[in-house]
């Protein structure tokens, strides 16, 4: 079961990152072109939100069934173990919080520019945080 969850978490990450990247680029283009915020733009942002939240949920499940999860807190001198057991989960939770804030702020806004800006800024911060803590050596 652990291997299936690990592979699902790794595979879903590609989809979640792609959706997040598309949402950020779409919002930047919409903000710069001063176009109307349509239901298509809302759906793109919503798919990115759902994708990242699903990734977080699967990541939590993986963390607690993983043999590397909670057992390595005494071994923080090892950079790889520290990344997978502490930095990756913590920074990704913070990234998802930023993404969720961006979604909430866009819903409360009336102006199209503010909607696009909220998604571009907060989803962008989330994307950068996620990319900064991916264990690249384990991914490829």
């Amino acid at each position: 079961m652990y291997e299936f969850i690990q592979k699902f978490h790794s595979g879903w990450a590609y989809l979640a990152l792609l959706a997040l990247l598309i949402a950020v680029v779409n919002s930047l283009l919409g903000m710069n072109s001063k176009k109307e915020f349509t239901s298509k733009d809302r759906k793109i942002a919503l798919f990115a939100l759902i994708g990242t939240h699903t990734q977080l949920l699967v990541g939590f499940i993986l963390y607690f069934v993983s043999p590397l999860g909670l057992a390595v807190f005494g071994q923080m001198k090892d950079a790889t173990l520290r990344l997978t057991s502490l930095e990756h989960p913590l920074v990704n939770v913070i990234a998802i919080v930023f993404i969720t804030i961006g979604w909430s702020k866009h819903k409360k806004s009336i102006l199209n520019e503010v909607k696009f800006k909220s998604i571009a800024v907060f989803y962008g911060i989330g994307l950068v945080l996620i990319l900064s803590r991916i264990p690249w050596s384990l991914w490829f």
Side-chain angles (χ1 to χ4, degrees):
M1 181 166 127
Y2 165 73
E3 288 182 21
F4 172 76
I5 296 171
Q6 184 181 28
K7 290 190 186 313
F8 182 78
H9 183 67
S10 295
W12 190 262
Y14 290 107
L15 296 173
L17 286 172
L18 180 64
L20 195 54
L21 181 64
I22 290 170
V24 170
V25 170
N26 181 61
S27 294
L28 288 171
L29 292 174
M31 188 173 60
N32 290 332
S33 67
K34 300 190 188 309
K35 71 175 196 161
E36 182 181 346
F37 192 87
T38 64
S39 66
K40 181 195 86 157
D41 301 313
R42 186 186 64 79
K43 287 177 186 173
I44 290 172
L46 181 61
F47 287 142
L49 178 82
I50 291 169
T52 54
H53 277 81
T54 302
Q55 181 70 359
L56 180 67
L57 179 64
V58 173
F60 278 150
I61 294 168
L62 180 64
Y63 187 77
F64 288 108
V65 300
S66 170
L68 298 174
L70 299 171
V72 297
F73 276 111
Q75 303 172 4
M76 288 295 139
K77 293 179 183 176
D78 184 355
T80 304
L81 288 175
R82 186 178 59 245
L83 174 65
T84 56
S85 65
L86 180 66
E87 294 170 3
H88 176 75
L90 179 64
V91 172
N92 285 331
V93 166
I94 294 168
I96 302 298
V97 167
F98 274 106
I99 292 166
T100 306
I101 290 170
W103 175 258
S104 296
K105 286 181 77 67
H106 116 275
K107 284 190 343 183
K108 294 177 184 174
S109 302
I110 298 169
L111 300 173
N112 293 321
E113 282 184 57
V114 177
K115 288 179 181 265
F116 282 123
K117 186 176 181 181
S118 296
I119 291 172
V121 169
F122 286 97
Y123 280 44
I125 291 169
L127 178 61
V128 169
L129 287 173
I130 290 169
L131 290 175
S132 75
R133 295 293 95 198
I134 289 177
W136 294 105
S137 62
L138 301 175
W139 229 29
F140 293 113

